[in-house]
Amino acid sequence: DDDSVIVSPADCRLLCFSNIDLATSMWIKGNDFTISSMLQNDELSELFEDCSLVLARLAPQDYHRFHSPISGTIMDIVEIEGNYQSVNPIVIRKLDVFCTNKRTYIVFESKLFGTVVFIAIGAAAVGSITLSVEIDQEIKKGDELGFFFHLVVAQ
């Protein structure tokens, strides 16, 4: 119930970095990775030049719904078309999947944290990113934001 505490957005493997440089030196190895290339919005990206970064990586066996880590108001929702490449740690170290995969981001305004961006990134075998929220909606920490839909191929 304490809105000053940020919670994990999903059933996931959670990695937290105090800044982008640390994230790119330890985890995100793509040559072209920048917040600007990921968001494709230079103005918004300027707000996050020295930001902290949390990676919540889902595995196939995980619950594939994601929830708000904070309370606030949804100010914008942006969809960016892209590929559905694997987000396996080995692939992440070689390809810029955070900047080339399909992604949808939600911009929040929070009384305690200011402007926060939540980015849902598609992956191999994920057929879509489906949101359960809309612009101008007030959300509470823990509310569902959306889910990833899995592709299932059967013969």
Side-chain angles (χ1 to χ4, degrees):
D1 289 339
D2 183 355
D3 278 340
S4 68
V5 175
I6 299 172
V7 297
S8 176
D11 176 19
C12 62
R13 285 101 201 112
L14 196 65
L15 297 166
C16 302
F17 300 95
S18 59
N19 60 62
I20 295 295
D21 291 337
L22 185 59
T24 56
S25 69
M26 293 181 65
W27 185 257
I28 305 168
K29 300 295 185 182
N31 295 329
D32 298 323
F33 177 80
T34 63
I35 294 295
S36 181
S37 62
M38 188 166 54
L39 297 177
Q40 294 187 0
N41 180 324
D42 292 335
E43 185 178 328
L44 181 60
S45 299
E46 287 178 13
L47 294 175
F48 298 99
E49 286 179 358
D50 297 317
C51 70
S52 299
L53 179 74
V54 174
L55 293 175
R57 192 177 71 79
L58 304 179
Q61 69 273 15
D62 292 332
Y63 169 79
H64 271 64
R65 293 185 179 272
F66 44 92
H67 301 266
S68 182
I70 62 166
S71 294
T73 304
I74 297 176
M75 306 305 290
D76 199 10
I77 296 172
V78 177
E79 287 188 47
I80 300 173
E81 292 303 318
N83 305 317
Y84 285 101
Q85 297 176 16
S86 173
V87 292
N88 178 294
I90 295 168
V91 175
I92 289 171
R93 294 178 187 272
K94 296 179 181 188
L95 300 174
D96 293 322
V97 296
F98 296 125
C99 299
T100 59
N101 275 16
K102 160 91 171 146
R103 54 208 180 278
T104 299
Y105 66 84
I106 301 169
V107 180
F108 298 94
E109 195 59 41
S110 164
K111 291 178 186 171
L112 291 171
F113 302 105
T115 304
V116 174
V117 175
F118 178 96
I119 307 166
I121 299 174
V126 174
S128 67
I129 301 166
T130 303
L131 295 184
S132 316
V133 294
E134 55 191 36
I135 295 173
D136 294 329
Q137 185 175 341
E138 293 285 330
I139 53 154
K140 295 201 179 304
K141 176 175 59 178
D143 286 352
E144 182 180 288
L145 296 176
F147 58 92
F148 296 103
F149 183 79
H150 279 275
L151 290 175
V152 178
V153 179
Q155 191 170 2

